[in-house]
């Protein structure tokens, strides 16, 4: 687990969403985890301002991003990056080379868009 200072705010890099806790409440959390339902439940427990997942290739019945809709209902902004752009399980790679492939409504309201490089999108969001 590590954190970066970006635009005066902290961005947490967690290889697994399970590494998060109360310290990440209200923070930007970039994970290497898939965006499935089990991962979403972990993130919802500590309620980050934004959580980032890997789409894990999306998969059967969109299981790799099913957690984004679940988090949307919980009011948590969430995005997923394409597995073709970042290694699953590596938050640092998600941060440095991830390209957004899926966005839930709370994240869209914050200005996140499919096709954007994650790092640039987060920097813009934090710059306000």
């Amino acid at each position: 687990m590590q954190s970066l200072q970006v635009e005066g705010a902290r961005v947490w890099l967690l290889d697994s969403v399970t590494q998060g806790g109360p310290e990440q409440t209200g923070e930007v959390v970039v994970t290497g985890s898939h965006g499935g339902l089990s991962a979403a439940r972990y993130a919802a427990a500590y309620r980050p301002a934004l959580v980032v997942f890997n789409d894990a290739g999306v998969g059967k019945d969109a299981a790799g991003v099913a957690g984004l809709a679940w988090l949307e209902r919980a009011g948590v902004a969430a995005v997923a990056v394409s597995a073709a752009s970042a290694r699953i399980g590596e938050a640092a790679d998600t941060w440095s080379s991830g390209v957004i492939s899926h966005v839930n409504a709370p994240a869209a309201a914050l200005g996140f868009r499919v096709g954007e490089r994650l790092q640039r999108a987060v920097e813009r969001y934090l710059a306000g």
Side-chain angles (χ1 to χ4, degrees):
M1 175 184 338
Q2 66 175 327
S3 66
L4 308 168
Q5 287 295 316
V6 178
E7 297 293 334
R10 189 179 305 193
V11 173
W12 291 92
L13 304 181
L14 311 179
D15 287 338
S16 172
V17 69
T18 65
Q19 295 172 316
E23 193 172 14
Q24 286 74 39
T25 299
E27 303 275 349
V28 173
V29 176
V30 176
T31 78
S33 295
H34 62 76
L37 291 174
S38 62
R41 289 184 188 109
Y42 278 104
Y46 54 86
R47 300 198 61 82
L50 171 73
V51 62
V52 179
F53 298 104
N54 189 297
D55 72 13
V58 183
K60 183 178 179 181
D61 299 326
V65 293
L68 275 66
W70 193 87
L71 286 166
E72 181 175 317
R73 291 188 295 278
V76 176
V79 305
V81 301
S82 169
S85 71
R87 290 186 291 274
I88 298 169
E90 294 185 27
D93 194 55
T94 299
W95 174 251
S96 65
S97 58
V99 175
I100 298 171
S101 61
H102 294 80
V103 178
N104 73 5
L110 295 175
F112 289 88
R113 302 286 178 258
V114 170
E116 288 185 290
R117 289 189 51 91
L118 174 69
Q119 187 173 350
R120 286 192 208 125
V122 170
E123 289 168 346
R124 185 185 67 246
Y125 160 66
L126 291 173

